[in-house]
Amino acid sequence: MSAAPEDRLEQEPNRWPVPPEGGWTADDLDRIPGLPPHTELIDGSLVFMSPQTAFHGRAMRLFENALLDQAPAHLDVLREMTIKLDEKNRPEPDVLVFPVEANTGPRQTWFRPEDVVLAVEVVSDDSVERDREVKPRKYAAAGVQHFWRVEADDVGVPIVYVYELDPALEVYVPTGIHRDKLTLTAPFPLTVDLTAINRRRP
């Protein structure tokens, strides 16, 4: 007889949590003790983040600052918050944009997919397949309207691959590949100098 899910949440220090039969759920992610920061849930399995690179951290800073500076008043921006796509999937975009009214308070840990206007994923060496294939497919199926995938060129400047949801097919349609400068009219008008990734001030 297998242990009940709540029993498996009681873990000895420095031991990995043992999943219940059928895998973890989105709500479990807030209850499992001792998880590393920024743990995601993909298809009922926990996904742990590798140590962050300088490119990854600076890219998140660049896009967070640019989006905050240029987003209309009814939208807000946060880094590294999860989206509860369904019972078995709770990925964590590097940056996301959402309506101000979707903020439920200081203890909030996730957003509904219908409240996410834009999800941004900065690709790391260990997340290439997830960020290029798995997450975009799941975000699109859940109805997230806009998705950006950010990768580094040979000298560490971001390349931004921009996608928009085709609601009839529930898949993303690529709308552009942007180098040096990102200029868009959707989800709102904005311009980002991608060569400014190493600039210390916005």
Side-chain angles (χ1 to χ4, degrees):
M1 179 172 160
S2 61
E6 57 270 19
D7 295 335
R8 294 177 184 254
L9 299 179
E10 297 299 327
Q11 299 293 322
E12 296 177 14
N14 302 319
R15 284 191 59 192
W16 298 116
V18 178
E21 185 176 348
W24 299 107
T25 70
D27 290 333
D28 288 334
L29 205 57
D30 290 328
R31 300 194 295 254
I32 304 170
L35 286 181
H38 312 302
T39 300
E40 299 181 291
L41 185 74
I42 304 293
D43 294 329
S45 297
L46 300 176
V47 177
F48 305 123
M49 302 293 105
S50 294
Q52 187 178 125
T53 64
F55 171 79
H56 196 277
R58 288 171 175 158
M60 285 195 298
R61 178 179 65 188
L62 173 69
F63 291 107
E64 181 185 32
N65 287 339
L67 289 163
L68 276 170
D69 184 54
Q70 300 178 60
H74 70 280
L75 296 178
D76 200 356
V77 181
L78 278 176
R79 289 169 48 165
E80 301 169 311
M81 287 282 287
T82 57
I83 307 173
K84 188 187 287 189
L85 300 181
D86 54 41
E87 185 180 347
K88 295 293 185 180
N89 289 278
R90 210 173 124 186
E92 181 183 282
D94 291 303
V95 182
L96 54 80
V97 178
F98 56 94
V100 171
E101 60 266 23
N103 179 16
T104 63
R107 300 185 66 83
Q108 182 173 2
T109 59
W110 54 269
F111 288 94
R112 303 180 306 168
E114 57 265 34
D115 290 329
V116 177
V117 175
L118 167 67
V120 181
E121 293 285 359
V122 181
V123 177
S124 301
D125 289 343
D126 72 331
S127 70
V128 173
E129 182 178 351
R130 291 194 304 276
D131 292 342
R132 288 181 177 176
E133 300 177 25
V134 178
K135 288 187 180 182
R137 185 175 69 249
K138 291 181 181 295
Y139 291 152
V144 175
Q145 294 294 309
H146 298 271
F147 173 72
W148 300 352
R149 190 182 79 246
V150 180
E151 304 197 19
D153 69 7
D154 292 339
V155 295
V157 174
I159 303 172
V160 184
Y161 299 81
V162 176
Y163 300 86
E164 188 167 344
L165 184 67
D166 180 334
L169 301 177
E170 296 184 338
V171 297
Y172 284 129
V173 176
T175 62
I177 301 173
H178 301 261
R179 293 176 169 85
D180 295 332
K181 180 178 285 189
L182 173 67
T183 301
L184 299 172
T185 58
F188 50 84
L190 80 158
T191 298
V192 184
D193 179 3
L194 302 176
T195 67
I197 184 170
N198 294 316
R199 192 175 297 161
R200 295 176 59 197
R201 296 288 183 270

